[in-house]
Amino acid sequence: MVDPSLGPVGQEIAARLTAALSPQRLAVINDSALHGGHMGDDGSGESHFTVEIVAAAFAGQWRAGRSSARESACARDQGARAGRMSGPLPRRAKRPAARLLVTDPDGRLLLFRFTPDDRAPFWVTPGGAVDRGETFEEAARRELREETGLDLETGPCVAVRHVTFVTLQGIEVDAEERYYAVPVETARIDTAGHTELEQRVMLDHRWFTPEELAALEEAWFPVDLLEIWRDLLAGRLGL
């Protein structure tokens, strides 16, 4: 049964998945409120959804096969209802992001440790999604202030990476991540500006030397962070 509280887009997603896959369990969750003002938010209130589904059609399939089956089931015909939508659902949401290479006077790099429920702990640089109407540079300064309490001009963009991943809200994204160098005069930060989600899953931070990061057993991102950082320390990235 389609959840009557869903809007027309959510109801169409649920109806198509039900018709195509006859699921034993299906939940279509409207996550749009979590993305208000971010890139990808079209203002409709129905821009982002999480789908939880159990179906016999997925038996024996790897994740890519399950994802393909969901996307095929949700493909929209020309002239579809719900706002005269047409064409296929986008495979992944676009997520432009500004990330920060924050280094203290000793050259150590600041990383935050994430401990989500759906995957193993991992470490990342400060930063996040570019909000609607922001430039990458504006997002970099905002994220620096919100995540570290430091209100500083960021340095230049020293690296760009294009990656795909699943956000903590379960959204599959294509991300363009621009990395900005931010040398700071103190290793003291203030995390009072963290969001409710960050307060739940981003409880620890640490300043690393390259050798300490290389010896770390937990994952860190981006996967070539050590190379970017060493080039930064060696002056090969245009500072």
Side-chain angles (χ1 to χ4, degrees), residues 27-140:
V28 178
I29 303 163
N30 189 341
D31 289 328
S32 303
L34 301 174
H35 301 270
H38 289 183
M39 299 291 281
D41 171 30
D42 60 7
S44 68
E46 290 192 279
S47 58
H48 295 78
F49 293 86
T50 293
V51 173
E52 298 176 356
I53 184 170
V54 176
F58 295 148
Q61 292 193 35
W62 293 95
R63 178 177 174 179
R66 298 195 302 269
S67 179
S68 178
R70 288 196 306 269
E71 291 164 359
S72 296
C74 286
R76 299 171 181 169
D77 298 328
Q78 293 293 328
R81 61 181 183 84
R84 294 166 57 189
M85 296 171 296
S86 63
L89 285 170
R91 286 183 174 272
R92 292 178 184 267
K94 299 297 182 184
R95 187 180 189 269
R99 306 218 63 90
L100 308 166
L101 301 170
V102 182
T103 51
D104 73 0
D106 295 323
R108 298 179 303 169
L109 183 70
L110 175 64
L111 296 180
F112 286 103
R113 183 175 186 260
F114 280 74
T115 56
D117 294 331
D118 63 343
R119 66 199 81 174
F122 60 92
W123 297 77
V124 296
T125 65
V130 176
D131 284 347
R132 181 182 295 274
E134 277 188 321
T135 66
F136 279 91
E137 289 73 20
E138 290 168 343

Side-chain angles (χ1 to χ4, degrees), residues 100-105 108-113 123-127 143-152 182-194 198 202-207:
L100 308 166
L101 301 170
V102 182
T103 51
D104 73 0
R108 298 179 303 169
L109 183 70
L110 175 64
L111 296 180
F112 286 103
R113 183 175 186 260
W123 297 77
V124 296
T125 65
E143 289 287 344
L144 178 67
R145 182 177 62 253
E146 292 175 353
E147 296 195 359
T148 71
L150 300 170
D151 190 8
L152 303 170
V182 188
V184 298
E185 296 180 354
T186 177
R188 183 177 301 169
I189 69 170
D190 180 359
T191 60
H194 285 191
E198 289 167 344
M202 199 171 82
L203 300 179
D204 298 319
H205 69 273
R206 177 178 168 184
W207 296 87

Side-chain angles (χ1 to χ4, degrees), residues 12-23 26 53 55-58 68-75:
E12 183 178 352
I13 292 171
R16 287 175 177 268
L17 287 170
T18 298
L21 300 172
S22 300
L26 173 63
I53 184 170
F58 295 148
S68 178
R70 288 196 306 269
E71 291 164 359
S72 296
C74 286

